[in-house]
Amino acid sequence: AQSVTQLDSHVSVSEGTPVLLRCNYSSSYSPSLFWYVQHPNKGLQLLLKYTSAATLVKGINGFEAEFKKSETSFHLTKPSAHMSDAAEYFCVVRMQGDYKLSFGAGTTVTVRA
Amino acid sequence: DAGVTQSPTHLIKTRGQQVTLRCSPKSGHDTVSWYQQALGQGPQFIFQYYEEEERQRGNFPDRFSGHQFPNYSSELNVNALLLGDSALYLCASRDGGMLGYGYTFGSGTRLTVV
């Protein structure tokens, strides 16, 4: 069963405009949630994580995400996109009692000058 | 502080051969996981090692095996390679006592099977 769904396979924004990447998860309990970024031919870098503390999570490079249990969502936002934000973004969930990370299919972000 | 180190970075093998990939975890991390990332897809969990034992396994055939050494480094072995095994193989490590924390990933080994 799919445990994490990224609602957009591709997002294109203009430099300086907001970015929104949407993610929904399926879990009966509060999971641990993460956003990772992968630049071309690179490994995965952790942007931010939610671990049942504050529902608004701030990450690196100006990204933040809000955990909404009622909507089972964990959307990633950034107020102003930069050219260097062009990359693949993965929403990731770790279910309670599970050791593995389950990745969404990814969202490709392109930034127009 | 060195992060997760994987070797080699690239590898080309022939169908039917065997391959060994290596991973050194981040300093202070004792848990290592392996993931397979096919082109255009998200990483898929292969297995996790902790205290030199396979703690959890994903939906991969027995051709995929691993090992963890006393210094926490790990190997991923794949036997009887298939064309479909071509992928980026990622190693991730974390502190075993910090379940809520994110994993640190290496840059991966790009395996091409011809």
Side-chain angles (χ1 to χ4, degrees):
Chain A
Q2 181 70 26
S3 55
V4 57
T5 302
Q6 293 184 242
L7 300 173
D8 308 288
S9 60
H10 186 249
V11 169
S12 180
V13 298
S14 297
E15 190 176 21
T17 64
V19 182
L20 169 64
L21 305 183
R22 299 180 295 164
C23 173
N24 286 106
Y25 67 93
S26 57
S27 174
S28 299
Y29 305 96
S30 292
S32 296
L33 294 159
F34 312 86
W35 276 97
Y36 279 86
V37 62
Q38 186 176 37
H39 288 92
N41 301 313
K42 300 280 184 160
L44 293 156
Q45 181 184 20
L46 178 66
L47 281 177
L48 49 79
K49 56 184 180 284
Y50 167 77
T51 56
S52 71
T55 56
L56 184 62
V57 182
K58 292 189 182 298
I60 62 172
N61 301 333
F63 286 95
E64 64 180 34
E66 185 172 10
F67 173 70
K68 291 187 176 180
K69 187 174 182 178
S70 61
E71 299 177 10
T72 60
S73 69
F74 190 58
H75 301 336
L76 180 71
T77 60
K78 183 173 180 177
S80 177
H82 191 271
M83 296 299 288
S84 60
D85 295 327
E88 189 80 11
Y89 292 78
F90 292 99
C91 182
V92 182
V93 62
R94 187 186 68 79
M95 299 298 187
Q96 194 174 40
D98 203 357
Y99 293 109
K100 73 174 186 290
L101 300 178
S102 296
F103 286 73
T107 298
T108 303
V109 172
T110 58
V111 182
R112 304 184 302 272
Chain B
D1 180 24
V4 177
T5 305
Q6 292 187 243
S7 62
T9 55
H10 296 82
L11 202 54
I12 299 174
K13 288 288 189 178
T14 303
R15 196 169 39 178
Q17 285 188 316
Q18 178 265 344
V19 68
T20 297
L21 310 182
R22 295 176 175 82
C23 172
S24 292
K26 183 176 180 179
S27 178
H29 288 187
D30 58 6
T31 302
V32 173
S33 300
W34 287 92
Y35 290 81
Q36 180 196 65
Q37 185 178 18
L39 200 61
Q41 298 182 22
Q44 298 293 316
F45 176 76
I46 303 176
F47 42 55
Q48 183 181 95
Y49 276 85
Y50 174 66
E51 293 187 341
E52 302 180 49
E53 296 285 335
E54 182 182 289
R55 178 155 70 175
Q56 186 174 356
R57 188 179 183 91
N59 189 27
F60 279 80
D62 292 344
R63 297 186 298 107
F64 289 77
S65 63
H67 188 78
Q68 186 179 34
F69 299 93
N71 66 353
Y72 309 127
S73 67
S74 176
E75 289 182 348
L76 164 64
N77 301 291
V78 186
N79 295 321
L81 284 166
L82 304 174
L83 296 179
D85 294 331
S86 295
L88 179 67
Y89 288 85
L90 295 164
C91 173
S93 73
R94 69 165 174 80
D95 182 332
M98 309 287 271
L99 283 176
Y101 280 68
Y103 287 73
T104 301
F105 282 81
S107 297
T109 294
R110 173 74 62 187
L111 173 65
T112 302
V113 182
V114 298

